[in-house]
Amino acid sequence: MIRVLIADDHALALSGLSAMLGVQPDIEVTGTASDGVEAVAQARRLRPDLVLMDIRMPRLDGIEATRRIRDTPGGGPAVLVLTTFDLDEYVYDALRGGAGGFLLKDAPPGQLAEAVRTVAAGQALLAPAVTRRLIERFLSVPPGGGTALERLTDRECEVLAHVGRGRSNAEIAAALHLSEATVKTHLSRVLAKAGLRDRVAAVVFAYEQGLVRAGEAAPGG
């Protein structure tokens, strides 16, 4: 059972999201919060598997709340951020703060439930085109390579570039003619060498280091 905490300052949104997730056989809404301060407190008290986090909330916004929730021993619960895409201008900061992915507020119930399952399982919700556009929009001019990138082997850089383009381990394995186990090993080494906490952080790092640029297509795709 996936235990979910929902944070949103609009009562109707809270009730709607709770209703959509409450009918899922493998998802349980264990609590709600109406602002960022309450979200942090509830996350610490209830210890959910995932927090569904609105960005714009009073007292403490969803970005800082995400940072505080994730900055706990063990990384804290996963965070799935709710965004309006055209209005929210802080999605890059949310990624850096440890958010596991993004979901549009008008997403249908089935997509919401699947997003919760994906992020709760530790996978980044980065494949949908909307998430790539979000990253590209708010990180259009990366600063270029640095010492962290220099610690990576050529193969590790290749894997990181594919991760930055939103490709799954299976897609990376096919593109580089490797096994999925080997791809996982390379990615684990990338995370360790660059001091990154998860796959989402690796995507941000790939853009920052210039391995991937806005609008760039993956080789052969």
Side-chain angles (χ1 to χ4, degrees), residues 206-220:
Y207 274 83
E208 287 181 328
Q209 300 302 315
L211 289 177
V212 184
R213 296 185 182 274
E216 179 185 2

Side-chain angles (χ1 to χ4, degrees), residues 6-89:
I6 303 175
D8 198 300
D9 62 325
H10 295 288
L12 286 177
L14 273 179
S15 60
L17 291 168
S18 297
M20 284 191 287
L21 292 178
V23 298
Q24 301 296 321
D26 58 338
I27 297 174
E28 176 188 2
V29 177
T30 61
T32 61
S34 58
D35 61 55
V37 172
E38 187 180 358
V40 174
Q42 289 283 68
R44 291 173 178 169
R45 183 177 70 86
L46 298 174
R47 299 177 181 270
D49 300 304
L50 178 140
V51 180
L52 190 58
M53 182 78 75
D54 187 22
I55 286 183
R56 299 187 175 195
M57 293 187 294
R59 293 210 289 169
L60 189 70
D61 63 39
I63 297 169
E64 183 58 31
T66 295
R67 288 196 189 101
R68 296 186 187 185
I69 288 171
R70 294 290 292 161
D71 189 22
T72 58
V79 177
L80 175 60
V81 170
L82 293 171
T83 177
T84 53
F85 178 56
D86 289 328
L87 298 178
D88 294 327
E89 299 177 353

Side-chain angles (χ1 to χ4, degrees), residues 86-175:
D86 289 328
L87 298 178
D88 294 327
E89 299 177 353
Y90 312 104
V91 290
Y92 173 57
D93 288 336
L95 274 176
R96 290 187 63 88
F102 295 90
L103 187 70
L104 291 180
K105 281 196 167 185
D106 59 358
Q111 186 177 345
L112 171 64
E114 192 55 37
V116 166
R117 295 183 185 103
T118 298
V119 176
Q123 302 175 42
L125 193 67
L126 296 171
V130 62
T131 307
R132 289 198 295 272
R133 290 200 305 271
L134 286 168
I135 297 170
E136 290 168 359
R137 177 178 174 185
F138 298 109
L139 189 54
S140 58
V141 186
T147 56
L149 189 62
E150 291 167 358
R151 289 196 292 267
L152 305 183
T153 66
D154 289 344
R155 179 63 86 186
E156 288 164 355
C157 285
E158 284 184 301
V159 170
L160 176 60
H162 282 286
V163 170
R165 297 180 181 107
R167 288 189 163 181
S168 67
N169 287 349
E171 291 170 330
I172 297 171

